[in-house]
Amino acid sequence: DAGVIQSPRHEVTEMGQEVTLRCKPISGHNSLFWYRQTMMRGLELLIYFNNNVPIDDSGMPEDRFSAKMPNASFSTLKIQPSEPRDSAVYFCASSRAGGHNSPLHFGNGTRLTVT
Amino acid sequence: KQEVTQIPAALSVPEGENLVLNCSFTDSAIYNLQWFRQDPGKGLTSLLLIQSSQREQTSGRLNASLDKSSGRSTLYIAASQPGDSATYLCAVRQSNYQLIWGAGTKLIIKP
């Protein structure tokens, strides 16, 4: 089991540029979560997919943020245009069906720095 | 509104000691509670998950307890080792799917 795989590990970009973060969940997991972690606000849920369908995107900060899950093995989080306040560590996590009784498995995150 | 608190924010103990990390929550109507550890620069690793109907779960040197009525959970680490140094987070699952996170306790085990 390779675990949840995120890429890139680090991303440094200039304000206004588009940023795309990628996630491959654990095979067989059909719940996928995107989180953002900062020192000030801790872990924040951005969006939750179940069976590739977005269930709740109320945590997405602004229209500049979008997420897709075209199939069960791949998801992207896009920020366009990026701003310095978007700098954070972005985590993808997955769990088994429904996710309620299953532990969450996290990737190692993407550290985003917007200058 | 559910609030999850972890006190202390940081803890430093000598190697070999047994220790307890605390997690409290304000609304006892929870689905389950999970304990995670996070190492610097890494993601979170799930340690233990306790269902609302359970009182405790054990894995190796770790034991997590849950007292819903008092809104408390503890993570007991026996015979602590330097490799246990990490930030430990608890998260409460609401009756919907939402996880409410504590801010974590940063644990340092001194050799």
Side-chain angles (χ1 to χ4, degrees), chain B residues 6-14 17-24 35 61-66 72-80 84 88 105-107 109:
Chain B
Q6 293 185 249
I7 295 174
L11 181 64
S12 180
V13 300
E17 284 197 5
N18 303 326
L19 61 99
V20 174
L21 305 180
N22 297 297
C23 174
S24 61
W35 281 94
R61 293 183 295 109
L62 305 180
N63 177 277
S65 69
L66 175 63
R72 293 179 186 275
S73 176
T74 61
L75 180 67
Y76 174 83
I77 302 177
S80 58
D84 295 329
Y88 290 80
T105 295
K106 184 175 182 178
L107 176 65
I109 306 299

Side-chain angles (χ1 to χ4, degrees), chain B residues 17-47:
Chain B
E17 284 197 5
N18 303 326
L19 61 99
V20 174
L21 305 180
N22 297 297
C23 174
S24 61
F25 46 95
T26 55
D27 185 349
S28 62
I30 66 171
Y31 202 84
N32 58 46
L33 184 146
Q34 298 180 55
W35 281 94
F36 296 82
R37 70 174 278 169
Q38 184 174 25
D39 294 280
K42 296 290 181 67
L44 285 74
T45 300
S46 179
L47 298 173

Side-chain angles (χ1 to χ4, degrees), chain A residues 30-46:
Chain A
N30 54 11
S31 294
L32 184 140
F33 306 78
W34 282 101
Y35 281 91
R36 178 171 67 178
Q37 187 178 39
T38 61
M39 288 292 292
M40 291 295 293
R41 294 187 299 271
L43 271 166
E44 301 173 283
L45 177 65
L46 301 178

